[in-house]
Amino acid sequence: MNKVGFFRSIQLKFIIIYILLLLVAIQVIGSFFTTELESQLVETYQTSVDDRLRLLSHNLEQALSRELTGAEDEVTPEEEVRGIVAEVGSEDGMELQIIDNQSRIIATNDYQSQSDVGKKISNELVQGVLQGGETEKKVVQYNREQIYVIVQPLYKEGEDDVTVGVLYAEANIQMVYEQLDNINQIFLKGSILAIAVSAFIGILVARTITKPIMEMRRQAQLMARGDFTQKVNVYGRDEIGHLADTFNDLNSRLKHSYATIEEERRKLSSVLSNMSDGVIATDNTGAVTLMNEAAGRLIGHDPDDIIGELLIDVLQLEDKIVDITELQDSGSMIIDFSNEEEEFLVRSNFSTVVDDEEEITGFITVISDVTEQEKVEQERREFVSNVSHELRTPLTTMRSYIEALNDGAWKDKEIAPRFLEVAQNETDRMIRMVNDLLQLSKMDAKEYPLQKERTEFVSYFHQIIDRFEMNIPEHITLKRDLPRGKYLVWLDKDKMTQVLDNIISNAIKYSPEGGTIQLKVENNRHHLLVSIQDQGMGIAYDKLERIFERFYRADKARTRKLGGTGLGLAIAKELVEVHHGKIWAKSVEGKGTTIFFTLPLMNKMWRGER
Ligand code: ATP
Ligand code: MG
């Protein structure tokens, strides 16, 4: 947040308001004061002039009314008048002219106009007064100066109706105005001082208001950053003090809610990060807003890089949906993230987040790895179809033979026994297969009891080979490569016999004429390594892994002819594993196959000498 500039601050506004108020007050007071003062001063001046003139006119009337006695050194009334006027002088700015009833100027106090004495005057005002008018008083503007003009009749003493002359006076009021100007100057200086002082006070007053506000602002900034440790000072019990109190209250409430939210957030984030399922949240446009670690792992991206991207792109749904709102209806889907190296399937469950008005505000997608699950499901489907297929083949064969017998072949002494033998073989094969399947399903359900006993493996293996040698085809040789010592293993003999039977019969089945089958046992520290090697046609490298799968046959056409169902090695694998061993195969096509398996040895103490 920026700092408030001085020109936008409350402080300046305060000062301006203060000064404006003061200016208005000064203006009102000033104008009232000056007009009042002006009229007062002018009036006082005029009264003083009038008073002086009244006294003067009395003296002049006396002088002009005097009767001449005719004495030698007698002073004429004119001379006496001049004397009186000369006494008045012209220093105080008053000009006087005394005019007799013949309109001649008898005397003046202006030295420069002494030459006018004796001259006739043609002033209208004077003429008016001489002809019996009243005293005239008026203010005239002359050369930008205010002049107070008084024209007063002089009466003969004791006879108020006989005019003996006129007193013409001009008083310069300008002095009064100059005085007024001086006063105004003082007033202005005072006003400027008052404004300066009030501006200063304004700053101080504004400070008392802005300081707490500034503090609250700083506090609000801290709060915005999540720091609730500080409080603002409460300077007084006024409105701002109350505001500061409320602010502190808000601070503590926010602190509390913030702590609660933070706690919730922590809980949520720990739940999200410890979940094995991936969670992706988006806004209503489908842009990712949250994604947990598990989702990042499943999708193969850093969650931080995904934030802001569209869910449709992230989950590679471009081909399946066009608009994010379609997810609402799809509910759940399997997305294939497989590449050349590995298969990878992810199940996504979509749900919407709605607000109080049922408006969609976002989507939550939960994703989980279902590769294994899908694989198992796929295997199950394949298994069911394999079983049905494998059962149908012998059944159809049997039906056709039985039909033939039914159609009359039973009467034929030669064909009938052959047909019946085929039917019996097929039935045997079916029984064998169903037994195998039952065994596998029991092993799957772990309902398969083992009768393990301490067994000396080498002699046990010799017995098995002996049994095979009794009815082996003549063209095949069994070669033993067994150690001489005693090796004790903990095993279920019946089951192990089943394993060895299957491996050895496979070797015999797939051996060429004159082939040798090597049966070998090696001691590898903690376990025995058993291998059965033939010189048959071998198995292609890419099929080698799969021969231990149920129903898998490397060469379907051939093995069916040889009567196999593809369950033998699957059972062998399960059985070796319940004996805590491992089974695998090595093969070179055209050269032969070796099947290996291991069996853990019992305590070394029982191990014999080689
Ligand atoms: P079953 O044993 O149920 O009668 P099967 O022998 O066909 O039938 P498995 O023993 O499970 O089934 O063998 C699976 C497949 O592995 C066989 O069909 C065959 O293609 C291949 N196979 C097994 N052993 C050998 C071997 N020694 N040489 C070549 N191929 C073999
Ligand atoms: Mg077999």
Side-chain angles (χ1 to χ4, degrees):
M1 232 191 283
N2 297 334
K3 215 172 170 276
V4 179
F6 177 72
F7 291 103
R8 288 183 180 175
S9 65
I10 291 185
Q11 229 162 336
L12 182 72
K13 284 174 195 158
F14 249 101
I15 296 166
I16 291 174
I17 291 169
Y18 250 69
I19 292 174
L20 282 179
L21 280 177
L22 204 78
L23 275 178
V24 169
I26 289 173
Q27 200 61 38
V28 171
I29 295 171
S31 60
F32 178 75
F33 180 75
T34 35
T35 40
E36 276 297 297
L37 193 69
E38 186 185 330
S39 61
Q40 282 284 324
L41 282 178
V42 169
E43 211 180 291
T44 315
Y45 182 78
Q46 284 175 342
T47 331
S48 87
V49 168
D50 289 352
D51 287 349
R52 280 174 65 192
L53 287 182
R54 203 173 304 123
L55 193 70
L56 192 65
S57 66
H58 179 71
N59 290 344
L60 288 171
E61 275 174 355
Q62 257 185 355
L64 284 174
S65 311
R66 192 163 50 86
E67 296 289 328
L68 284 170
T69 53
E72 225 176 89
D73 55 349
E74 191 178 36
V75 182
T76 59
E78 281 84 0
E79 279 169 343
E80 197 182 340
V81 166
R82 266 175 228 130
I84 295 167
V85 169
E87 261 171 45
V88 173
S90 63
E91 287 82 29
D92 55 358
M94 185 150 72
E95 254 179 57
L96 289 173
Q97 277 181 355
I98 316 298
I99 296 130
D100 69 5
N101 48 6
Q102 263 82 51
S103 307
R104 271 186 300 133
I105 299 170
I106 310 171
T108 173
N109 67 342
D110 186 2
Y111 294 111
Q112 280 150 22
S113 336
Q114 286 302 327
S115 56
D116 291 344
V117 173
K119 284 184 186 166
K120 273 210 166 189
I121 196 167
S122 57
N123 189 309
E124 265 175 44
L125 273 175
V126 175
Q127 294 302 332
V129 172
L130 269 178
Q131 266 135 49
E134 289 292 301
T135 305
E136 288 279 350
K137 292 177 187 174
K138 65 175 180 182
V139 177
V140 294
Q141 183 113 1
Y142 183 73
N143 274 350
R144 288 202 186 170
E145 292 195 342
Q146 304 282 338
I147 311 284
Y148 181 38
V149 178
I150 308 114
V151 185
Q152 196 179 325
L154 296 171
Y155 299 111
K156 191 170 181 165
E157 228 179 4
E159 292 168 56
D160 275 359
D161 48 353
V162 183
T163 312
V164 284
V166 170
L167 171 66
Y168 180 88
E170 279 183 5
N172 195 343
I173 318 181
Q174 197 53 37
M175 257 163 55
V176 174
Y177 285 98
E178 273 162 19
Q179 221 175 335
L180 244 144
D181 271 352
N182 280 341
I183 293 170
N184 279 345
Q185 291 274 328
I186 294 167
F187 195 79
L188 188 71
K189 280 178 195 157
S191 304
I192 291 170
L193 189 71
I195 287 169
V197 170
S198 68
F200 180 69
I201 294 173
I203 291 174
L204 291 185
V205 172
R207 272 264 176 92
T208 61
I209 294 168
T210 52
K211 197 179 171 208
I213 292 177
M214 294 287 275
E215 275 188 28
M216 277 185 258
R217 177 175 178 265
R218 216 169 300 130
Q219 177 69 21
Q221 281 171 333
L222 285 178
M223 278 155 70
R225 269 184 249 128
D227 179 358
F228 299 102
T229 51
Q230 278 159 45
K231 296 219 157 191
V232 290
N233 292 322
V234 180
Y235 290 100
R237 297 279 70 190
D238 55 3
E239 288 89 334
I240 291 183
H242 283 299
L243 180 62
D245 264 340
T246 319
F247 201 81
N248 284 337
D249 190 36
L250 174 75
N251 182 47
S252 49
R253 274 164 200 253
L254 270 179
K255 186 178 173 179
H256 183 71
S257 342
Y258 191 79
T260 320
I261 293 169
E262 191 61 12
E263 174 69 29
E264 290 298 318
R265 200 189 61 78
R266 258 200 295 274
K267 267 191 227 160
L268 181 70
S269 106
S270 94
V271 167
L272 281 178
S273 58
N274 289 314
M275 268 175 83
S276 59
D277 281 352
V279 177
I280 306 173
T282 70
D283 59 14
N284 58 349
T285 63
V288 175
T289 51
L290 181 145
M291 182 169 175
N292 70 349
E293 289 289 324
R297 269 197 305 277
L298 288 171
I299 291 170
H301 287 288
D302 186 345
D304 294 338
D305 299 342
I306 298 295
I307 303 293
E309 285 193 25
L310 287 179
L311 183 71
I312 294 180
D313 298 339
V314 173
L315 294 181
Q316 301 168 9
L317 297 174
E318 297 93 339
D319 310 334
K320 292 183 187 151
I321 58 167
V322 185
D323 190 76
I324 186 81
T325 47
E326 287 173 38
L327 290 181
Q328 206 180 345
D329 315 317
S330 68
S332 157
M333 62 169 78
I334 303 268
I335 304 166
D336 191 351
F337 278 102
S338 309
N339 54 22
E340 297 93 45
E341 283 148 36
E342 59 173 346
E343 203 182 349
F344 190 44
L345 299 173
V346 164
R347 179 188 296 281
S348 309
N349 290 305
F350 305 105
S351 52
T352 49
V353 184
V354 289
D355 62 11
D356 299 341
E357 274 112 49
E358 299 286 306
E359 251 336 274
I360 294 176
T361 55
F363 297 89
I364 301 280
T365 310
V366 178
I367 55 175
S368 49
D369 178 0
V370 287
T371 316
E372 273 312 304
Q373 213 174 311
E374 283 296 302
K375 224 189 237 171
V376 168
E377 186 60 19
Q378 178 66 22
E379 273 168 15
R380 193 192 58 79
R381 280 194 289 267
E382 265 173 31
F383 182 76
V384 171
S385 106
N386 278 336
V387 171
S388 347
H389 184 78
E390 293 301 327
L391 284 175
R392 203 181 54 191
T393 318
L395 281 171
T396 15
T397 319
M398 273 166 65
R399 194 179 64 184
S400 52
Y401 280 88
I402 291 167
E403 263 172 16
L405 286 168
N406 207 22
D407 288 347
W410 63 275
K411 291 177 205 151
D412 191 318
K413 281 203 174 120
E414 272 200 15
I415 301 171
R418 257 183 33 224
F419 277 19
L420 283 170
E421 198 191 321
V422 171
Q424 196 181 353
N425 283 346
E426 289 299 308
T427 317
D428 285 348
R429 203 159 88 93
M430 273 194 324
I431 290 170
R432 219 173 50 232
M433 193 176 85
V434 171
N435 279 340
D436 284 352
L437 281 172
L438 267 175
Q439 191 181 353
L440 275 170
S441 104
K442 275 185 188 162
M443 279 192 286
D444 285 345
K446 312 264 183 263
E447 288 170 2
Y448 201 65
L450 291 172
Q451 257 109 48
K452 284 188 184 171
E453 54 187 306
R454 210 165 77 187
T455 313
E456 202 291 298
F457 191 76
V458 178
S459 55
Y460 158 78
F461 199 19
H462 274 301
Q463 283 169 25
I464 301 231
I465 303 169
D466 291 345
R467 181 161 53 78
F468 267 97
E469 266 182 340
M470 283 203 286
N471 41 24
I472 195 170
E474 268 166 29
H475 60 92
I476 287 168
T477 325
L478 293 182
K479 190 179 157 219
R480 305 179 198 213
D481 185 359
L482 306 185
R484 243 182 276 135
K486 289 190 164 139
Y487 294 90
L488 292 177
V489 282
W490 188 246
L491 51 80
D492 182 324
K493 274 192 193 163
D494 281 356
K495 305 292 174 318
M496 195 44 64
T497 309
Q498 216 182 332
V499 173
L500 288 167
D501 274 2
N502 194 278
I503 299 172
I504 298 170
S505 59
N506 277 350
I508 296 170
K509 221 168 11 178
Y510 300 108
S511 274
E513 279 204 23
T516 304
I517 296 168
Q518 192 182 43
L519 307 126
K520 191 172 174 184
V521 175
E522 283 170 85
N523 167 27
N524 270 356
R525 280 174 74 86
H526 301 300
H527 58 254
L528 289 179
L529 175 65
V530 183
S531 58
I532 292 104
Q533 185 180 23
D534 66 50
Q535 295 169 333
M537 79 253 191
I539 306 160
Y541 180 76
D542 56 323
K543 294 172 180 168
L544 205 53
E545 282 279 294
R546 305 199 56 192
I547 57 171
F548 299 100
E549 288 175 16
R550 293 170 192 191
F551 291 111
Y552 187 80
R553 285 166 307 196
D555 183 345
K556 289 219 161 102
R558 271 191 62 151
T559 44
R560 183 155 299 130
K561 212 163 61 195
L562 295 168
T565 56
L567 289 172
L569 283 180
I571 294 172
K573 182 174 189 282
E574 296 281 342
L575 289 174
V576 167
E577 280 169 4
V578 293
H579 282 91
H580 309 292
K582 276 188 201 140
I583 186 163
W584 70 97
K586 276 185 184 166
S587 182
V588 180
E589 258 187 298
K591 289 253 169 92
T593 308
T594 313
I595 306 285
F596 299 88
F597 70 90
T598 61
L599 285 174
L601 278 167
M602 286 180 73
N603 202 321
K604 275 184 185 173
M605 269 169 59
W606 294 310
R607 209 180 72 196
E609 312 277 299
R610 278 198 88 150

